[in-house]
Amino acid sequence: MTARIVLHDADITRALRRIAHEVLESRRGDGRLVFLGIPTRGTVLAERIQRIVDEIEPGTSSVGSLDITLYRDDLARTPTRAPAPTRIPDEGIDDAIVVLVDDVLYSGRTVRAALDALADHGRPRAVRLAVLVDRGHRELPIRADFVGKNLPSSMSERVSVRLADVDGVEEVTIEP
Amino acid sequence: MKHLLSTRDLDRATAVSILDIAEDMARTADREVRKLPTLRGKTVVNLFFEDSTRTRLSFESAAKRLSADVITFSAKGSSVSKGESLKDTAQTLQAMGADAIVVRHHGSGAAHLLAHAGWIDAHVLNAGDGTHEHPTQALLDAFTMRQRRYGADSRERDLAGMRVVIVGDVVHSRVARSNVWLLSTLGAEVHLVAPRTLLPSGVETWPVTVHEHLEPALALGPDVVMMLRIQQERMHAAFFPSGREYAREWGLTAERFALLGPDTMVMHPGPMNRGLEISSAAADSSASTVLAQVTNGVFIRMAVLYLLVAGSSEERA
Amino acid sequence: MTGLLIRGATLLGETREDIRIRGGRIAATGRLTPELDERVIDADGLVALPGLVDLHTHLREPGGEASETVLTGTRAAAAGGFTAVFAMANTSPVADTAGVVEQVHALGLQHGYATVRPIGAVTVGLEGERLSEIGAMARSRASVRVFSDDGRCVHDALLMRRALEYVATFDGVIAQHAQEPRLTEGAQMNEGALSGELGLAGWPAVAEESIIARDVLLAQHTGARLHVCHLSTAGSVEVIRWAKARGIAVTAEVTPHHLLLTEDLARGYDARFKVNPPLRRDDDVRALREALADGTIDIVATDHAPHPAEAKECTWAEAAFGMVGLESAVPVLQTTMIETGMLGWEDLARVMSSAPAAIGRLDGYADPLTEGAPANVTLVDPAARRTWSTDDLRGRSRNTPYTGVELAGTIVATVHGGVATVLDGDLRPADEVVAAWAGLREDARG
């Protein structure tokens, strides 16, 4: 059984561009935007979205990464992994609109950990969530504000996001 | 990692990853909230058969920053001094639900024994065993060297090309042993300086260059000079004639310190004997990393506790 | 049952013969027909050795009954094929008076598993200061001939000289535990690269060799006999070889564990491998085997040193020195010396029976397995192999270093003075052994 491609590289680029526009539209007033990607692929996506936002409205946003390894609730059930770096822009996140960016939204536990981690770094005015793919099956009351593609899936299926900067190819696949 | 018993068992990749995780831990120190929830619900026991306030506080602080529950068990005045064995003590602590035991003991191999005798299945972290090893001290020393050398660009780097001179009572020093193995694994060039009475047997098989006198080693232009603590009582066992003679021959006097290059770090595991192995001129200079070592000790211990305790127990031993 | 007939044993590994035992003695050898009142032991494929003699056993009684007693220790000895053991003096109270040595001797007679010959302390309380009552012990019912402060060295040169001279008066011998005390303060294991790495204080070879060198010169000077306990280094072998070439009356022993094990075992800090003198290097093991083969080392002695579990379940530095060794002695010797072709069974009989008996002035072992000799016989199955475990031990303590090691050979039967103490590889119950001895004495009277 083979993987089926659900998003090609052009689809991904289009989805990120749409998300960037939606983020800007949703920003009311002059709130500062901070895109924080969740490593590894969320960081790459956050950088790309912020680059588009910066082209449209230069100097109103910044980007960083937020590692959630030390906040996971499944630490005791998985092999220990090394945390990835957290980079918070110099201006900090206090009173900013933070947009968390991840590749796939699934159970919601990663986002829960990210919210906990974020709280230890400061107090944003608002926190939004942007994901490239929402595959459903939430275990927590969490939803995304900006979604590249809704991808109904079965729990036994495997959804993979590959990005050129990390994986050499750019695609989203689903396999049984 | 199931246990951290010695630096001799650490390969380069593991050692670098501990230092990198310590960088992440260090990063959390300047946040609004310093505490991490990582070890919530876990119990870390500090089992100290030897007095060592600074090491104990460092481990306590590391465990608390990770939200672990911390129990400190000092052997003095406890059932241990009434003849209870290491085995019984360890089993008692395990019965209290210890996930990890940080052990400091006067007997070489005590941590190894706790880890492998089959008495308990908690993670064991060696906080100094006799004259054998003190792995977290060496890790924090390596971390300090790397940070001074590379600053924000430290991540993923080893110590290749660094020249480290370790001076003093090597034979009785667990800090020296742990540093020799770790620093050479990380690619540093290690030199030992001591009178022959203070060198361990078989030192010629170690990955080091041995010098009997200090000047020739300092003339090599080391990046780091690490002074080991000298115990005054050693002179009674004929290791050297007197503190004065030791200071004159092997101490980092103000004159010798003045010969060092501007970027040379002066390290000491503490507590220092000023005027014996190290002069105040050296200890109080900007070259001294003594206080940075204390700060970094907490980050290294957080990193190691995270690696040992956070993961599932089914992973590689 | 009044007699035993051992059928088809290979005597000293050479000729196949039957052995008839009656009234505590060898009644006949050759091709024999079973008689009605005899118990027959089928010894097809087994090697018959003289009963083994251990010149260096710690029986721990009196004072150390938690580790071993005369009864449990002699049971371990019988299980290992021994019919006589010399019990070291470091008991509590120390065996430095006629009273203590007679008590230990009597306990041996009472239980009957093996002859117990107490060793007397050289100095009072093993303190190395004043000579103990050597004459009284020599003339006691225990007829002590071997004197030793084992566990400690008689390090004072003058005291050692006097002891050698004085003991000679009673045809005795000093068995020296050669360990220069100042060079070994706090010592934990062989001094070398490994001790440096493990952070355990080293026990340097020179601490043993320097004492042996001094003592052989003292033996030469006094003309007295000297026995050196548990040689452990290649250098010690050289000193003994030199002394023997000069005609000095010195004998030397090696333990089974020093013929097999090396210091590398300390790496895991498992205190079962902590022993005094310590396990040494490969080169030392090789030199000790060669010296035993060429006669430089005269005997094998076990230094059987039982300890309770808690004395070994602790950090290395806190643990007691010593290993048990009676049950495993023959298997270790077969593995290290016989199967390597360095010794034959006849040599093994010499180094584990006649030679130690001669050093200890123990009668009845000079001409064994011949008609009229006391019936001390050990049957070994050389084809057996087993992975050693604590289940193979018969004494009270469990501190064997061989757990998990495959060893060749097993003891099938032991006959002590005509009384079977081991049959079919198992110890006979204490009451049967006692009853058999009573029967023998009755026969002798009748």
Side-chain angles (χ1 to χ4, degrees):
Chain A
M1 281 178 281
T2 49
R4 181 167 59 87
I5 298 177
V6 290
L7 289 180
H8 290 279
D9 51 355
D11 303 327
I12 293 173
T13 308
R14 209 173 308 120
L16 295 182
R17 185 158 288 280
R18 184 164 49 74
I19 290 173
H21 281 282
E22 285 175 11
V23 170
L24 281 172
E25 279 162 25
S26 74
R27 177 183 62 164
R28 292 180 208 96
D30 53 357
R32 189 162 56 85
L33 284 170
V34 177
F35 292 89
L36 291 180
I38 298 171
T40 311
R41 289 175 189 77
T43 308
V44 173
L45 294 173
E47 283 164 358
R48 288 210 211 156
I49 295 169
Q50 192 266 340
R51 210 174 304 135
I52 299 165
V53 166
D54 198 55
E55 280 165 14
I56 303 167
E57 291 193 13
T60 62
S61 64
S62 52
V63 65
S65 64
L66 180 68
D67 185 65
I68 54 100
T69 312
L70 300 171
Y71 292 84
R72 297 177 68 96
D73 62 3
D74 60 352
L75 277 173
R77 278 180 258 171
T78 55
T80 313
R81 60 189 87 184
T86 289
R87 284 181 291 106
I88 303 291
D90 292 342
E91 314 86 74
I93 58 168
D94 283 351
D95 295 324
I97 296 170
V98 169
V99 182
L100 294 172
V101 183
D102 205 358
D103 51 356
V104 178
L105 178 57
Y106 188 23
S107 68
R109 289 179 190 272
T110 301
V111 177
R112 197 279 313 156
L115 290 171
D116 284 354
L118 202 57
D120 286 350
H121 286 276
R123 188 179 179 284
R125 183 201 294 183
V127 182
R128 311 269 181 245
L129 175 62
V131 297
L132 182 58
V133 174
D134 182 349
R135 62 171 294 191
H137 304 293
R138 217 73 79 238
E139 293 166 6
L140 295 171
I142 282 171
R143 64 166 183 80
D145 301 278
F146 315 105
V147 179
K149 181 173 178 61
N150 281 300
L151 183 62
S153 63
S154 121
M155 285 182 83
S156 63
E157 285 171 314
R158 184 182 162 84
V159 174
S160 308
V161 173
R162 296 189 187 82
L163 298 174
D165 324 41
V166 182
D167 310 289
V169 289
E170 185 114 338
E171 62 188 17
V172 176
T173 60
I174 184 162
E175 56 193 306
Chain B
M1 228 170 21
K2 169 83 180 166
H3 309 292
L4 178 66
L5 306 176
S6 82
T7 58
R8 208 165 190 270
D9 331 318
L10 291 179
D11 57 28
R12 182 190 168 281
T14 310
V16 169
S17 104
I18 294 172
L19 301 186
D20 287 350
I21 294 172
E23 291 282 352
D24 296 316
M25 299 301 178
R27 213 60 66 78
T28 64
D30 5 287
R31 302 186 325 187
E32 277 197 13
V33 179
R34 290 183 182 181
K35 210 173 170 101
L36 289 163
T38 318
L39 298 186
R40 212 163 44 189
K42 303 281 189 180
T43 300
V44 174
V45 174
N46 287 320
L47 175 56
F48 275 57
F49 290 85
E50 264 184 359
D51 282 338
S52 172
T53 309
R54 50 174 70 208
T55 305
R56 183 171 52 78
L57 289 178
S58 182
F59 271 106
E60 267 181 28
S61 159
K64 285 178 176 165
R65 289 255 194 108
L66 291 171
S67 303
D69 295 321
V70 183
I71 301 173
T72 293
F73 189 100
S74 285
K76 280 217 165 149
S78 71
S79 52
V80 174
S81 53
K82 294 172 194 135
E84 188 181 72
S85 71
L86 180 62
K87 179 183 176 180
D88 292 334
T89 306
Q91 288 181 334
T92 303
L93 297 173
Q94 168 121 333
M96 288 174 185
D99 294 290
I101 296 184
V102 175
V103 62
R104 151 90 49 133
H105 196 281
H106 43 80
S108 297
H112 190 280
L113 197 64
L114 275 188
H116 296 296
W119 302 335
I120 55 169
D121 47 46
H123 300 277
V124 176
L125 210 166
N126 185 3
D129 62 325
T131 55
H132 178 225
E133 286 225 31
H134 190 357
T136 57
Q137 176 72 43
L139 284 162
L140 75 88
D141 289 342
F143 181 86
T144 306
M145 290 176 205
R146 193 175 77 158
Q147 219 181 35
R148 274 250 175 154
R149 178 76 172 252
Y150 295 111
D153 193 25
S154 292
R155 219 174 265 281
E156 290 175 32
R157 288 182 183 277
D158 60 15
L159 301 178
M162 290 189 77
R163 183 172 285 164
V164 182
V165 172
I166 301 176
V167 188
D169 187 358
V170 179
V171 69
H172 298 104
S173 175
R174 51 195 174 207
V175 174
R177 276 176 185 75
S178 286
N179 263 303
V180 164
W181 310 130
L182 179 67
L183 298 180
S184 61
T185 297
L186 289 172
E189 179 188 307
V190 183
H191 297 259
L192 298 180
V193 184
R196 287 181 62 173
T197 48
L198 295 179
L199 287 168
S201 54
V203 73
E204 65 283 355
T205 64
W206 291 16
V208 299
T209 309
V210 176
H211 308 262
E212 289 175 356
H213 298 285
L214 187 49
E215 272 76 12
L218 296 186
L220 296 170
D223 300 286
V224 179
V225 177
M226 183 184 295
M227 305 307 296
L228 301 173
R229 180 177 164 78
I230 280 290
Q231 300 196 311
Q232 289 270 20
E233 329 59 280
R234 301 283 181 223
M235 73 182 98
H236 301 306
F239 287 100
F240 53 88
S242 70
R244 206 168 47 207
E245 174 151 323
Y246 183 87
R248 200 164 53 225
E249 293 286 331
W250 292 284
L252 189 60
T253 58
E255 296 73 41
R256 289 194 180 107
F257 174 63
L259 297 176
L260 298 177
D263 297 327
T264 305
M265 298 169 229
V266 173
M267 307 187 84
H268 194 294
M272 294 184 281
N273 293 303
R274 286 167 186 261
L276 183 51
E277 74 266 6
I278 191 166
S279 59
S280 286
D284 299 333
S285 74
S286 62
S288 165
T289 61
V290 172
L291 291 177
Q293 284 169 273
V294 175
T295 311
N296 294 338
V298 177
F299 305 142
I300 281 290
R301 283 156 188 146
M302 288 170 79
V304 172
L305 282 171
Y306 166 67
L307 275 175
L308 295 191
V309 185
S312 68
S313 47
E314 291 89 66
E315 54 170 317
R316 71 195 166 89
Chain C
M1 177 182 70
T2 56
L4 283 170
L5 182 67
I6 299 169
R7 296 201 77 186
T10 313
L11 245 61
L12 303 172
E14 303 284 327
T15 55
R16 239 176 100 97
E17 292 192 42
D18 304 335
I19 305 167
R20 167 159 293 134
I21 294 168
R22 290 220 163 218
R25 298 200 169 260
I26 308 277
T29 60
R31 287 203 60 135
L32 306 170
T33 318
E35 291 174 8
L36 278 176
D37 61 348
E38 277 178 340
R39 170 159 189 166
V40 177
I41 300 174
D42 176 13
D44 189 36
L46 306 185
V47 173
L49 297 174
L52 306 179
V53 177
D54 190 18
L55 198 63
H56 195 147
T57 309
H58 295 274
L59 291 180
R60 302 291 187 224
E61 191 173 0
E65 290 84 355
S67 314
E68 199 80 282
T69 62
V70 172
L71 174 61
T72 62
T74 52
R75 281 167 64 88
F82 291 89
T83 52
V85 296
F86 284 76
M88 269 300 171
N90 60 339
T91 49
S92 177
V94 170
D96 56 4
T97 62
V100 177
V101 294
E102 287 193 346
Q103 180 201 351
V104 172
H105 180 244
L107 283 167
L109 282 177
Q110 177 194 323
H111 301 308
Y113 279 101
T115 302
V116 175
R117 286 289 298 268
I119 293 173
V122 178
T123 64
V124 175
L126 309 175
E127 294 293 341
E129 285 164 9
R130 287 183 297 127
L131 289 184
S132 56
E133 290 187 0
I134 286 167
M137 290 189 275
R139 294 198 186 287
S140 74
R141 269 173 290 172
S143 20
V144 177
R145 291 293 178 272
V146 181
F147 296 87
S148 180
D149 277 0
D150 181 65
R152 301 202 193 161
C153 180
V154 182
H155 62 91
D156 182 308
L158 177 66
L159 198 64
M160 184 62 181
R161 175 204 173 146
R162 297 276 188 255
L164 285 166
E165 289 171 331
Y166 192 77
V167 164
T169 316
F170 299 94
D171 191 28
V173 64
I174 301 284
Q176 174 70 298
H177 171 114
Q179 176 181 6
E180 212 298 313
R182 288 281 283 159
L183 286 175
T184 51
E185 272 174 21
Q188 297 295 329
M189 66 171 291
N190 182 44
E191 179 176 303
L194 188 60
S195 67
E197 180 199 321
L198 296 180
L200 293 171
W203 200 128
V206 65
E208 174 171 310
E209 293 154 8
S210 59
I211 290 291
I212 297 176
R214 181 202 72 177
D215 286 355
V216 294
L217 292 171
L218 283 173
Q220 180 180 39
H221 184 69
T222 58
R225 287 201 293 150
L226 168 71
H227 177 72
V228 184
C229 296
H230 41 52
L231 256 61
S232 71
T233 76
S236 298
V237 167
E238 285 311 305
V239 176
I240 296 290
R241 193 169 279 140
W242 174 86
K244 287 191 164 182
R246 290 181 58 126
I248 297 169
V250 60
T251 52
E253 85 189 22
V254 65
T255 69
H257 48 269
H258 286 112
L259 291 172
L260 181 61
L261 309 176
T262 60
E263 62 169 0
D264 304 307
L265 293 164
R267 194 173 275 289
Y269 293 101
D270 182 340
R272 282 182 307 128
F273 301 113
K274 179 176 175 177
V275 66
N276 187 3
L279 301 177
R280 305 282 189 186
R281 304 160 307 149
D282 275 330
D283 289 350
D284 297 303
V285 168
R286 204 170 308 124
L288 292 168
R289 289 184 185 187
E290 283 163 10
L292 183 63
D294 71 18
T296 304
I297 293 177
D298 303 83
I299 68 163
V300 171
T302 65
D303 196 5
H304 177 82
H307 288 291
E310 60 271 21
K312 291 289 188 181
E313 283 188 336
C314 50
T315 59
W316 184 280
E318 290 163 327
F321 288 100
M323 310 167 161
V324 296
L326 286 166
E327 301 95 327
S328 50
V330 168
V332 172
L333 264 289
Q334 187 182 325
T335 305
T336 57
M337 300 301 293
I338 304 267
E339 297 198 340
T340 54
M342 299 182 84
L343 286 187
W345 290 106
E346 199 174 344
D347 303 312
L348 188 87
R350 171 172 47 81
V351 301
M352 294 188 76
S353 181
S354 59
I359 294 167
R361 299 296 192 249
L362 174 66
D363 292 336
Y365 287 84
D367 210 6
L369 303 180
T370 54
E371 267 184 51
N376 296 308
V377 186
T378 296
L379 295 179
V380 180
D381 178 3
R385 282 195 168 268
R386 66 181 142 164
T387 303
W388 199 260
S389 84
T390 51
D391 295 339
D392 294 311
L393 303 177
R394 293 291 175 271
R396 183 161 282 179
S397 294
R398 292 284 161 275
N399 53 310
T400 173
Y402 304 114
T403 313
V405 178
E406 191 181 273
L407 295 175
T410 192
I411 304 297
V412 176
T414 308
V415 180
H416 170 223
V419 171
T421 53
V422 174
L423 283 174
D424 301 325
D426 268 329
L427 279 169
R428 289 182 70 203
D431 51 347
E432 284 183 24
V433 171
V434 169
W437 276 104
L440 263 186
R441 280 190 279 268
E442 215 152 280
D443 289 351
R445 270 199 300 274

Short mmCIF file of all heavy atoms in Angstrom, two decimals, chain B residues 163-190:
data_model
loop_
_atom_site.label_atom_id
_atom_site.label_comp_id
_atom_site.label_asym_id
_atom_site.label_seq_id
_atom_site.Cartn_x
_atom_site.Cartn_y
_atom_site.Cartn_z
N ARG B 163 43.35 23.09 24.96
CA ARG B 163 44.43 22.50 25.76
C ARG B 163 44.14 22.76 27.23
O ARG B 163 44.02 23.92 27.63
CB ARG B 163 45.76 23.14 25.33
CG ARG B 163 46.96 22.58 26.01
CD ARG B 163 48.22 23.15 25.38
NE ARG B 163 48.50 22.54 24.08
CZ ARG B 163 49.34 23.06 23.18
NH1 ARG B 163 49.97 24.18 23.44
NH2 ARG B 163 49.54 22.44 22.03
N VAL B 164 43.99 21.70 27.99
CA VAL B 164 43.59 21.83 29.40
C VAL B 164 44.69 21.27 30.29
O VAL B 164 45.13 20.13 30.10
CB VAL B 164 42.28 21.07 29.68
CG1 VAL B 164 41.85 21.25 31.12
CG2 VAL B 164 41.18 21.53 28.72
N VAL B 165 45.13 22.06 31.25
CA VAL B 165 46.16 21.62 32.20
C VAL B 165 45.48 21.43 33.56
O VAL B 165 44.89 22.36 34.09
CB VAL B 165 47.30 22.66 32.29
CG1 VAL B 165 48.24 22.29 33.43
CG2 VAL B 165 48.05 22.72 30.97
N ILE B 166 45.55 20.22 34.08
CA ILE B 166 44.96 19.93 35.39
C ILE B 166 46.10 19.72 36.39
O ILE B 166 46.99 18.91 36.15
CB ILE B 166 44.07 18.66 35.32
CG1 ILE B 166 42.96 18.87 34.27
CG2 ILE B 166 43.48 18.33 36.68
CD1 ILE B 166 42.08 17.63 34.04
N VAL B 167 46.05 20.45 37.49
CA VAL B 167 47.19 20.50 38.40
C VAL B 167 46.80 20.03 39.80
O VAL B 167 45.82 20.53 40.35
CB VAL B 167 47.74 21.95 38.52
CG1 VAL B 167 49.04 21.96 39.31
CG2 VAL B 167 47.93 22.56 37.14
N GLY B 168 47.57 19.12 40.36
CA GLY B 168 47.42 18.83 41.78
C GLY B 168 47.24 17.37 42.13
O GLY B 168 47.83 16.49 41.52
N ASP B 169 46.37 17.14 43.13
CA ASP B 169 46.25 15.84 43.76
C ASP B 169 45.38 14.91 42.90
O ASP B 169 44.25 14.60 43.25
CB ASP B 169 45.62 16.03 45.15
CG ASP B 169 45.60 14.74 45.95
OD1 ASP B 169 46.04 13.70 45.42
OD2 ASP B 169 45.14 14.79 47.10
N VAL B 170 45.93 14.47 41.78
CA VAL B 170 45.16 13.65 40.84
C VAL B 170 44.79 12.31 41.48
O VAL B 170 43.69 11.81 41.31
CB VAL B 170 45.96 13.43 39.54
CG1 VAL B 170 45.17 12.56 38.57
CG2 VAL B 170 46.30 14.77 38.90
N VAL B 171 45.71 11.74 42.25
CA VAL B 171 45.48 10.39 42.75
C VAL B 171 44.23 10.30 43.62
O VAL B 171 43.50 9.31 43.57
CB VAL B 171 46.73 9.82 43.47
CG1 VAL B 171 47.01 10.54 44.78
CG2 VAL B 171 46.58 8.33 43.72
N HIS B 172 43.97 11.34 44.40
CA HIS B 172 42.79 11.30 45.27
C HIS B 172 41.58 12.02 44.66
O HIS B 172 40.58 12.20 45.35
CB HIS B 172 43.11 11.95 46.62
CG HIS B 172 44.20 11.26 47.37
ND1 HIS B 172 45.49 11.74 47.46
CD2 HIS B 172 44.21 10.09 48.06
CE1 HIS B 172 46.22 10.91 48.17
NE2 HIS B 172 45.48 9.90 48.54
N SER B 173 41.69 12.46 43.41
CA SER B 173 40.65 13.35 42.86
C SER B 173 39.70 12.65 41.91
O SER B 173 40.07 12.23 40.83
CB SER B 173 41.30 14.53 42.15
OG SER B 173 40.30 15.32 41.55
N ARG B 174 38.44 12.57 42.32
CA ARG B 174 37.41 12.06 41.41
C ARG B 174 37.11 13.08 40.32
O ARG B 174 36.71 12.73 39.22
CB ARG B 174 36.15 11.70 42.19
CG ARG B 174 35.65 12.81 43.10
CD ARG B 174 34.63 12.26 44.10
NE ARG B 174 34.24 13.26 45.08
CZ ARG B 174 33.82 12.94 46.30
NH1 ARG B 174 33.77 11.70 46.68
NH2 ARG B 174 33.45 13.88 47.14
N VAL B 175 37.30 14.36 40.65
CA VAL B 175 37.07 15.41 39.65
C VAL B 175 38.08 15.25 38.50
O VAL B 175 37.72 15.33 37.32
CB VAL B 175 37.21 16.80 40.29
CG1 VAL B 175 37.11 17.89 39.23
CG2 VAL B 175 36.14 16.99 41.36
N ALA B 176 39.33 14.99 38.86
CA ALA B 176 40.35 14.83 37.82
C ALA B 176 40.03 13.64 36.94
O ALA B 176 40.10 13.71 35.71
CB ALA B 176 41.73 14.67 38.46
N ARG B 177 39.68 12.50 37.55
CA ARG B 177 39.38 11.32 36.75
C ARG B 177 38.24 11.60 35.77
O ARG B 177 38.35 11.33 34.58
CB ARG B 177 39.01 10.14 37.66
CG ARG B 177 40.22 9.40 38.19
CD ARG B 177 39.81 8.30 39.15
NE ARG B 177 40.99 7.68 39.74
CZ ARG B 177 41.72 8.25 40.67
NH1 ARG B 177 41.43 9.45 41.13
NH2 ARG B 177 42.80 7.63 41.14
N SER B 178 37.15 12.13 36.28
CA SER B 178 36.01 12.38 35.40
C SER B 178 36.37 13.36 34.29
O SER B 178 35.95 13.20 33.15
CB SER B 178 34.82 12.91 36.20
OG SER B 178 34.25 11.86 36.95
N ASN B 179 37.18 14.35 34.64
CA ASN B 179 37.56 15.33 33.62
C ASN B 179 38.47 14.72 32.56
O ASN B 179 38.33 15.02 31.38
CB ASN B 179 38.22 16.55 34.26
CG ASN B 179 37.23 17.68 34.46
OD1 ASN B 179 36.60 18.13 33.51
ND2 ASN B 179 37.08 18.12 35.69
N VAL B 180 39.41 13.89 32.98
CA VAL B 180 40.33 13.29 32.01
C VAL B 180 39.55 12.52 30.95
O VAL B 180 39.75 12.70 29.75
CB VAL B 180 41.35 12.37 32.71
CG1 VAL B 180 42.05 11.47 31.70
CG2 VAL B 180 42.38 13.22 33.47
N TRP B 181 38.61 11.67 31.40
CA TRP B 181 37.87 10.86 30.41
C TRP B 181 36.99 11.75 29.54
O TRP B 181 36.97 11.62 28.32
CB TRP B 181 37.00 9.81 31.10
CG TRP B 181 37.70 8.97 32.14
CD1 TRP B 181 37.26 8.74 33.41
CD2 TRP B 181 38.94 8.26 32.02
NE1 TRP B 181 38.16 7.94 34.08
CE2 TRP B 181 39.19 7.63 33.26
CE3 TRP B 181 39.88 8.11 31.00
CZ2 TRP B 181 40.32 6.85 33.50
CZ3 TRP B 181 41.00 7.34 31.24
CH2 TRP B 181 41.21 6.72 32.46
N LEU B 182 36.26 12.66 30.19
CA LEU B 182 35.30 13.46 29.42
C LEU B 182 36.00 14.41 28.46
O LEU B 182 35.64 14.50 27.28
CB LEU B 182 34.39 14.25 30.37
CG LEU B 182 33.36 15.12 29.65
CD1 LEU B 182 32.34 14.24 28.93
CD2 LEU B 182 32.66 16.07 30.61
N LEU B 183 36.98 15.14 28.95
CA LEU B 183 37.63 16.14 28.10
C LEU B 183 38.31 15.49 26.92
O LEU B 183 38.28 16.00 25.80
CB LEU B 183 38.63 16.98 28.92
CG LEU B 183 38.01 17.79 30.07
CD1 LEU B 183 39.10 18.56 30.81
CD2 LEU B 183 36.94 18.74 29.56
N SER B 184 38.92 14.31 27.15
CA SER B 184 39.58 13.68 26.01
C SER B 184 38.54 13.12 25.03
O SER B 184 38.73 13.19 23.82
CB SER B 184 40.59 12.62 26.46
OG SER B 184 39.94 11.63 27.18
N THR B 185 37.42 12.61 25.55
CA THR B 185 36.34 12.19 24.64
C THR B 185 35.85 13.36 23.79
O THR B 185 35.51 13.19 22.62
CB THR B 185 35.16 11.61 25.46
OG1 THR B 185 35.62 10.46 26.15
CG2 THR B 185 34.00 11.21 24.56
N LEU B 186 35.84 14.54 24.40
CA LEU B 186 35.37 15.72 23.67
C LEU B 186 36.46 16.35 22.81
O LEU B 186 36.28 17.43 22.27
CB LEU B 186 34.81 16.75 24.66
CG LEU B 186 33.47 16.36 25.30
CD1 LEU B 186 33.09 17.34 26.41
CD2 LEU B 186 32.37 16.27 24.26
N GLY B 187 37.61 15.70 22.73
CA GLY B 187 38.64 16.16 21.79
C GLY B 187 39.65 17.14 22.36
O GLY B 187 40.52 17.62 21.64
N ALA B 188 39.57 17.43 23.65
CA ALA B 188 40.54 18.35 24.23
C ALA B 188 41.88 17.62 24.45
O ALA B 188 41.92 16.39 24.54
CB ALA B 188 40.03 18.91 25.56
N GLU B 189 42.94 18.40 24.55
CA GLU B 189 44.27 17.86 24.83
C GLU B 189 44.49 18.06 26.33
O GLU B 189 44.50 19.20 26.80
CB GLU B 189 45.27 18.65 23.99
CG GLU B 189 46.71 18.26 24.15
CD GLU B 189 47.59 19.26 23.40
OE1 GLU B 189 47.35 19.50 22.19
OE2 GLU B 189 48.50 19.83 24.03
N VAL B 190 44.65 16.96 27.06
CA VAL B 190 44.69 17.07 28.52
C VAL B 190 46.11 16.85 29.04
O VAL B 190 46.79 15.91 28.63
CB VAL B 190 43.74 16.05 29.18
CG1 VAL B 190 43.73 16.22 30.69
CG2 VAL B 190 42.33 16.19 28.62
#
